[in-house]
Amino acid sequence: GQQVMQIPQYQHVQEGEDFTTYCNSSTTLSNIQWYKQRPGGHPVFLIQLVKSGEVKKQKRLTFQFGEAKKNSSLHITATQTTDVGTYFCDFGAGSYQLTFGKGTKLSVIP
Amino acid sequence: NAGVTQTPKFQVLKTGQSMTLQCAQDMNHNSMYWYRQDPGMGLRLIYYSASEGTTDKGEVPNGYNVSRLNKREFSLRLESAAPSQTSVYFCASSPQGANTEAFFGQGTRLTVV
């Protein structure tokens, strides 16, 4: 079956430092979605990547889809305390199944 | 604009009790999902409904049943609650299947004692 590893599981950064989380798949993905879940909250959609090599930016967040469509990353520049939460990738294992990685929990130390 | 509404927000059950978690969406979405979230385990799919009238098992369906009552509503039932079902439950919906933006409810925090 499709295997997707999300790394790291936890990341603690000093405010102002950069942060990156990765989703790595054993098979080619058709597309990938990224979500953010604040502590005590629910997952909220951030972005979808579809094309090989695609790069999208949202303010301090940069999302990339690998050339082979087997990996993706979310990079946050100069983290702020508002970035705290868990970031998930959804790699859609089936046509009707949203399938999530285990998530990366980001803590930001002020 | 309510989006996805889940009830209740919190629930405590005794082992063996039954209950139904309710979920409704007002976005005219075809697909709906139930997830459970446990520390370190991420979001695990319990059941999903690709469209009105269909339901399918996800990764962890044992101990649960679902009903897609109509296009808006998708309920999750625990027939005989067990402590292992202590978790946070999320309902979600999407326009049509996976590979698209999904919208989540606020979650139900369930404790089984």
Side-chain angles (χ1 to χ4, degrees):
Chain A
Q2 196 167 35
Q3 298 285 335
V4 171
M5 184 75 69
Q6 189 170 357
I7 54 171
Q9 192 173 358
Y10 301 96
Q11 185 81 56
H12 304 276
V13 299
Q14 204 76 33
E15 190 173 15
E17 290 181 339
D18 291 357
F19 158 77
T20 306
T21 174
Y22 302 88
C23 273
N24 300 319
S25 172
S26 58
T27 58
T28 301
L29 304 171
S30 56
N31 52 38
I32 194 164
Q33 287 68 236
W34 284 94
Y35 290 77
K36 176 183 178 181
Q37 184 178 20
R38 294 183 189 275
H42 59 280
V44 174
F45 175 83
L46 293 175
I47 209 149
Q48 181 184 58
L49 303 171
V50 178
K51 299 176 184 174
S52 166
E54 189 169 17
V55 178
K56 288 188 177 180
K57 294 192 176 185
Q58 289 179 349
K59 297 183 181 177
R60 293 178 295 104
L61 277 61
T62 302
F63 303 84
Q64 293 191 336
F65 206 6
E67 292 290 342
K69 298 181 75 174
K70 286 189 174 183
N71 52 67
S72 180
S73 65
L74 185 172
H75 178 82
I76 303 178
T77 303
T79 54
Q80 300 175 358
T81 54
T82 53
D83 297 322
V84 164
T86 302
Y87 293 85
F88 293 96
C89 61
D90 156 35
F91 55 92
S95 297
Y96 291 97
Q97 296 186 43
L98 310 175
T99 310
F100 294 88
K102 287 195 179 354
T104 296
K105 188 173 182 178
L106 173 64
S107 300
V108 178
I109 306 161
Chain B
N1 219 2
V4 179
T5 303
Q6 278 182 246
T7 55
K9 288 188 169 52
F10 301 94
Q11 183 73 49
V12 178
L13 289 178
K14 293 183 178 177
T15 298
Q17 286 186 318
S18 62
M19 79 161 293
T20 300
L21 281 63
Q22 307 286 354
C23 176
Q25 52 90 10
D26 61 2
M27 295 171 283
N28 200 36
H29 286 172
N30 286 309
S31 303
M32 298 185 73
Y33 312 84
W34 276 105
Y35 289 88
R36 61 177 289 173
Q37 186 173 39
D38 304 292
M41 300 296 292
L43 292 155
R44 292 185 292 170
L45 183 64
I46 305 171
Y47 270 92
Y48 65 100
S49 171
S51 59
E52 186 180 356
T54 69
T55 60
D56 285 285
K57 294 178 181 179
E59 182 185 354
V60 289
N62 291 347
Y64 305 95
N65 284 301
V66 289
S67 295
R68 184 74 183 265
L69 304 168
N70 47 55
K71 192 171 186 179
R72 290 187 65 247
E73 298 171 288
F74 188 39
S75 62
L76 178 72
R77 182 158 178 85
L78 286 71
E79 288 293 350
S80 178
S84 60
Q85 293 178 305
T86 293
S87 189
V88 180
Y89 292 84
F90 287 101
C91 176
S93 71
S94 67
Q96 185 69 47
N99 305 313
T100 184
E101 178 178 359
F103 296 79
F104 284 77
Q106 301 291 325
T108 296
R109 191 170 295 274
L110 175 67
T111 303
V112 183
V113 298

